[in-house]
Amino acid sequence: MTSATTSLNHADTTVGGDVPDYFALLKPRVMVLVIFTALVGMSVSHGHVSPAIGAISLFAIAVGAGASGCLNMWWDADIDAVMTRTAGRPIPAGKITSGEALGFGLFLSVASVLVLGLAANWLSAALLAFTIVFYAVIYSMWLKRATAQNIVIGGAAGALPPVIGQAVVTGHVGIESLVLFAIIFIWTPPHFWALALIKAGEYARAGIPMMPNVAGPDSTRRQIVWYSLFLFPLGLAPVALGFGGWLYAVVSTVGGLGMVAFSVRVLKNRTGEAEKKAAMGMFGFSILYLFALFSALLAEQSLGLFRAVVA
């Protein structure tokens, strides 16, 4: 029996939820990150868009991200029901039926793409549509349950908002947004695998082949170190390419070294409370790293703080 069928059968006895329940389906914390990274993608672009078009575009991108999150929750309702951190989501909690979630997600998907196409351009709309399909279908319905590389490959969906943001402003995809895509793409595995080390038991019960469950925790720790080492020079690429200034260079250097240091701590602490503290420290710092990195770029490009490192 498929995930969708299981969740549909489970939810047939429930009634429609309230507005907060539908909003929770959109994964609002993810939406905030999407808006932020898309805005940075817009800010580093060599072009101009009116504030009204920019605001509408960001809203459409956020709704598209929320739609893909909603479809993910619809498909993964059976998994969510057996994992502690997701059991309270609207579908497994019986607040919204699977049919309602599916209809809501599909409606928002189509609406967000159409609004972005009409407000900005159809390249950005096509990229948004691809992101929704990639996350809801390729990642959620296939990769997540099929391979331990689910986060690695699926991370492309979460890395695309800066590319969409640049397409909104310029009508094309440039090197700036592709570099930002690469940074988020390489950042994603060590970020999620740090949490997966702690939640490995829950993923095992849910039948999800996360890296610690398939390759083992020691292999996962080594991969976290390797990804963090690669992320360090990649994070400095905007400086080399001329769209990251001194502020960004300092933040990227300090943050990159911090990622490496936390990854080494994860590698060394393998048992007991020390293991949990190291993994959660890595998880928390990785969020701070990405936020600081993109905030520095946004501040330089939007507040006139840019001072070139490369002449």
Side-chain angles (χ1 to χ4, degrees):
M1 183 178 292
T2 66
S3 170
T5 302
T6 301
S7 55
L8 279 168
N9 290 339
H10 165 78
D12 281 343
T13 59
T14 65
V15 295
D18 296 326
V19 171
D21 298 321
Y22 279 95
F23 185 64
L25 285 175
L26 305 182
K27 297 188 176 182
R29 285 183 294 182
V30 176
M31 288 175 66
V32 171
L33 179 61
V34 166
I35 293 172
F36 180 54
T37 56
L39 178 61
V40 175
M42 296 170 70
S43 73
V44 301
S45 304
H46 302 292
H48 173 75
V49 65
S50 72
I53 296 301
I56 293 171
S57 298
L58 285 174
F59 177 75
I61 294 169
V63 171
S68 62
C70 179
L71 294 173
N72 170 264
M73 285 197 193
W74 160 72
W75 184 259
D76 279 351
D78 59 332
I79 296 173
D80 290 345
V82 300
M83 296 189 66
T84 303
R85 71 183 184 89
T86 57
R89 286 176 172 176
I91 300 175
K95 298 176 181 178
I96 292 178
T97 69
S98 277
E100 289 164 344
L102 175 60
F104 187 51
L106 290 176
F107 170 76
L108 292 181
S109 297
V110 174
S112 62
V113 171
L114 288 176
V115 168
L116 187 59
L118 292 171
N121 55 68
W122 292 106
L123 173 61
S124 60
L127 288 169
L128 179 60
F130 174 78
T131 303
I132 295 170
V133 171
F134 193 92
Y135 185 75
V137 178
I138 305 298
Y139 169 70
S140 299
M141 296 183 183
W142 174 37
L143 293 172
K144 186 171 183 177
R145 300 171 192 246
T147 172
Q149 296 294 325
N150 46 22
I151 289 299
V152 178
I153 305 170
L160 277 168
V163 181
I164 302 173
Q166 184 169 50
V168 166
V169 174
T170 66
H172 67 267
V173 174
I175 187 63
E176 297 88 356
S177 64
L178 291 177
V179 168
L180 299 184
F181 170 92
I183 290 172
I184 300 174
F185 184 77
I186 297 300
W187 166 87
T188 301
H191 167 69
F192 276 102
W193 285 340
L195 181 62
L197 285 168
I198 303 302
K199 301 293 184 180
E202 292 192 28
Y203 283 115
R205 288 194 299 273
I208 302 301
M210 292 298 288
M211 190 61 71
N213 303 89
V214 176
D218 288 345
S219 174
T220 303
R221 292 185 182 96
R222 289 192 295 270
Q223 291 187 65
I224 287 174
V225 172
W226 283 116
Y227 271 94
S228 298
L229 286 170
F230 184 53
L231 182 63
F232 178 46
L234 180 60
L236 288 168
V239 178
L241 293 170
F243 66 95
W246 276 106
L247 173 63
Y248 177 85
V250 171
V251 170
S252 179
T253 300
V254 174
L257 290 174
M259 286 289 289
V260 173
F262 272 94
S263 70
V264 171
R265 187 180 172 206
V266 169
L267 181 65
K268 290 183 176 180
N269 294 277
R270 305 187 179 197
T271 58
E273 190 64 24
E275 176 191 24
K276 182 177 180 180
K277 286 183 178 179
M280 293 309 297
M282 177 76 190
F283 179 76
F285 183 81
S286 65
I287 297 173
L288 176 62
Y289 166 81
L290 193 68
F291 176 76
L293 210 65
F294 277 66
S295 293
L297 275 179
L298 186 61
E300 286 185 336
Q301 298 295 332
S302 302
L303 301 179
L305 301 179
F306 180 82
R307 299 294 183 272
V309 177
V310 179

